[in-house]
Amino acid sequence: MSKVVKFGGSSLADASQFKKVYDIVMADRQRKYVVPSAPGKRFKDDIKVTDLLYKAYDAKSESEFQRTFEEIRQRYQDIIDGLGLQISLEEEFAIIEKNFEKQIGVDYAASRGEYLNGILLAHYLEFDFIDAKDVIFIDEYGNYDKKKTDSVLSQRLLESEYAVIPGFYGSLNDGSGQIKAFSRGGSDVTGSIVAKNGKVDLYENWTDVSGFLVADPRIVKEPAVIETITYKELRELSYMGASVLHENSVFPVRNEGIPINIKNTNKPEDPGTLIVESTCHKPAHVITGIAGTKGFATVMIEKDMMNSEIGFGRKVLQVFEDHHLSFEHMPSGIDTMTIIVNTEEFIDKEQDILAGIHRAVQPDSIILESDLALIAVVGRGMKASRGTAARIFNALAKRNINIKMIDQGSSELNIIIGVRNCYFNDAIKAIYNEFID
Ligand code: ASP
């Protein structure tokens, strides 16, 4: 058995966190490939090294650049001193400084956080260092080039029994050798690509929480941890705002059947959350998780005899498509059709869209409201149990919360309800208490 272990920024924020990482990696010789992020926040108002690098690269004056660059240098020096390592990054910093002066690219700048952390960690663990620029190839849009990466990386990993591969970046797939980064949080994606190409059995993603929580801890006090979740459930919850992993990080491992285990660097004994393709493990509760987002608008279109007008729906949706706006849901009645959209994306285009709908289908009226929050109640356990919807509605009714919209996906994996923004927190608490407490 072998594993890839990815450590997030908070797990490598300073020397004491590095020590924890060392203990975790050394405790299990199956942990063969280590993917580090750049040093993250050491305390609440601290600045991540990646953000300092962006700041230095965009510095408006030489003095601002020097100050910020020095701060970055000091972050690494503190780690070196704190661990008593016999290594100097001075030569690396000299090269980086020159490249910053030449303004060789913002992705290059951002990637140096992971690069330097990778060098330090490899030295500390006595693992090989593999520069991600030589083995991970990314297209101009920030997607990994599967073909090129998979052939180069899988070969390279065969040569190292134990190695550190920095997260977040690679090089452009056009052969120029230019550094290219994934979007923010992209070390999760690197971990997944390394797991796939190292043909490992498990991808451990170490962070500062003991797994994926059933609900947002800012809304529900100390929510339970999800023990096992499927990729599909995770996607539903992530789409609705729950975030632990970068959304592109599941695809490489998902297709290989490699599970991801979310673990807590500060509490390594906690089992964390296991993310799997499919499982016979009975979920602990009927629902796996609850997530939601505020800020949706509803466009309610009314027209007598709408039901008999063939093509009505298509014409309405065409208007949204013409304005490059995707819609979230589309509940309908006999003579009404409602389109639910993200308010922020909709607001600048609303009058054009209204005019477009009038032209396309001549409705009797169009009513706009922008006060909707959507909540997704997700769980593979719903399929096998009766009365889940009844329990949700009951819980909300008891709290006097009016439901404005209901949508159950045909997969029976989720029930989505819409409530007014002001009921958002209460609704999530009510559903949580109904199923989990
Ligand atoms: N350091 C990068 C960021 O802050 C990438 C990562 O941590 O995954 O977004």
Side-chain angles (χ1 to χ4, degrees):
M1 179 149 175
S2 57
K3 299 174 184 173
V4 161
V5 280
K6 180 258 168 180
F7 290 94
S10 59
S11 302
L12 292 162
D14 58 21
S16 69
Q17 291 299 89
F18 261 70
K19 283 185 189 152
K20 291 182 192 169
V21 166
Y22 182 92
D23 291 342
I24 289 166
V25 175
M26 290 305 164
D28 181 352
R29 297 311 284 161
Q30 295 172 343
R31 295 181 172 134
K32 288 178 60 166
Y33 304 121
V34 182
V35 175
S37 284
K41 293 185 181 195
R42 294 158 294 181
F43 43 87
K44 193 165 161 272
D45 294 323
D46 198 15
I47 305 178
K48 294 167 92 175
V49 163
T50 309
D51 291 316
L52 289 173
L53 287 159
Y54 280 121
K55 193 171 165 213
Y57 193 72
D58 287 335
K60 302 280 172 293
S61 64
E62 178 60 21
S63 66
E64 190 195 340
F65 170 75
Q66 286 303 341
R67 224 180 314 120
T68 315
F69 205 71
E70 187 47 39
E71 227 180 296
I72 298 166
R73 202 195 299 262
Q74 198 56 52
R75 289 288 305 262
Y76 288 99
Q77 198 54 49
D78 287 349
I79 295 171
I80 294 172
D81 296 344
L83 299 174
L85 297 179
Q86 297 304 315
I87 186 175
S88 164
L89 293 178
E90 283 313 305
E91 272 179 33
E92 295 292 347
F93 273 111
I95 297 170
I96 295 170
E97 191 169 352
K98 278 212 183 80
N99 285 331
F100 269 51
E101 269 164 28
K102 285 194 228 150
Q103 290 274 296
I104 72 164
V106 68
D107 282 10
Y108 167 83
S111 74
R112 296 304 86 184
E114 271 71 10
Y115 172 74
L116 294 170
N117 235 16
I119 293 178
L120 279 192
L121 193 58
H123 177 87
Y124 185 38
L125 295 170
E126 296 180 25
F127 279 19
D128 294 346
F129 173 74
I130 302 177
D131 191 345
K133 84 169 180 0
D134 301 324
V135 288
I136 291 189
F137 302 95
I138 303 174
D139 71 18
E140 56 181 316
Y141 305 106
N143 303 309
Y144 105 96
D145 180 331
K146 222 190 272 178
K147 212 163 148 223
K148 198 165 172 188
T149 304
D150 290 358
S151 76
V152 175
L153 179 59
S154 57
Q155 268 315 107
R156 176 63 189 85
L157 290 176
L158 289 177
E159 291 163 26
S160 288
E161 197 182 355
Y162 294 99
V164 173
I165 307 104
F168 188 37
Y169 72 93
S171 51
L172 254 187
N173 64 347
D174 62 1
S176 65
Q178 196 183 320
I179 298 286
K180 177 80 186 155
F182 292 118
S183 53
R184 295 299 303 265
S187 299
D188 285 339
V189 184
T190 309
S192 186
I193 296 170
V194 174
K196 173 186 177 185
N197 286 290
K199 303 193 175 43
V200 303
D201 304 284
L202 184 66
Y203 170 18
E204 286 181 344
N205 189 296
W206 292 80
T207 175
D208 52 7
V209 286
S210 290
F212 210 88
L213 302 173
V214 172
D216 187 335
R218 287 167 300 186
I219 299 173
V220 174
K221 211 166 151 235
E222 293 181 18
V225 173
I226 300 171
E227 283 168 26
T228 310
I229 185 170
T230 64
Y231 286 121
K232 275 193 189 140
E233 290 173 308
L234 181 73
R235 172 131 174 80
E236 298 279 352
L237 290 170
S238 307
Y239 185 72
M240 290 303 281
S243 70
V244 167
L245 279 176
H246 189 292
E247 67 168 339
N248 291 342
S249 61
V250 297
F251 299 113
V253 282
R254 180 181 177 161
N255 295 337
E256 302 297 310
I258 302 170
I260 306 175
N261 193 183
I262 309 278
K263 296 273 289 176
N264 189 347
T265 303
N266 305 316
K267 287 186 182 171
E269 61 290 349
D270 285 356
T273 299
L274 197 63
I275 307 169
V276 295
E277 186 185 2
S278 176
T279 176
C280 288
H281 276 280
K282 281 244 165 358
H285 309 280
V286 175
I287 65 165
T288 303
I290 313 161
T293 320
K294 287 184 187 176
F296 292 95
T298 52
V299 183
M300 189 168 90
I301 305 159
E302 288 183 325
K303 186 176 185 186
D304 276 347
M305 305 301 288
M306 176 192 290
N307 66 324
S308 58
E309 206 176 309
I310 289 174
F312 189 95
R314 182 187 54 74
K315 287 180 204 156
V316 170
L317 294 181
Q318 185 68 49
V319 177
F320 286 84
E321 184 179 340
D322 291 345
H323 288 85
H324 295 283
L325 201 70
S326 67
F327 70 96
E328 301 294 324
H329 295 277
M330 193 182 58
S332 62
I334 302 175
D335 291 332
T336 65
M337 174 176 174
T338 303
I339 312 288
I340 297 177
V341 285
N342 182 304
T343 310
E344 234 174 72
E345 293 168 11
F346 175 67
I347 201 105
D348 288 341
K349 304 172 176 172
E350 66 168 25
Q351 293 309 318
D352 292 340
I353 290 179
L354 289 200
I357 297 173
H358 274 288
R359 266 194 300 274
V361 294
Q362 295 86 41
D364 297 333
S365 67
I366 305 178
I367 299 165
L368 295 187
E369 275 184 34
S370 63
D371 185 26
L372 191 74
L374 294 178
I375 298 169
V377 186
V378 176
R380 59 188 186 280
M382 283 184 192
K383 228 178 184 155
S385 68
R386 311 265 171 283
T388 312
R391 286 176 70 185
I392 296 173
F393 302 152
N394 228 333
L396 297 180
K398 267 195 250 157
R399 298 245 189 155
N400 257 329
I401 298 173
N402 180 38
I403 300 175
K404 289 182 76 78
M405 198 240 13
I406 305 161
D407 190 352
Q408 171 169 332
S410 41
S411 59
E412 285 185 67
L413 191 67
N414 65 1
I415 294 176
I416 299 196
I417 52 163
V419 297
R420 287 183 57 196
N421 281 334
C422 62
Y423 294 132
F424 180 68
N425 286 9
D426 275 354
I428 290 184
K429 278 187 214 156
I431 299 168
Y432 183 90
N433 290 339
E434 170 65 34
F435 288 95
I436 311 294
D437 265 5

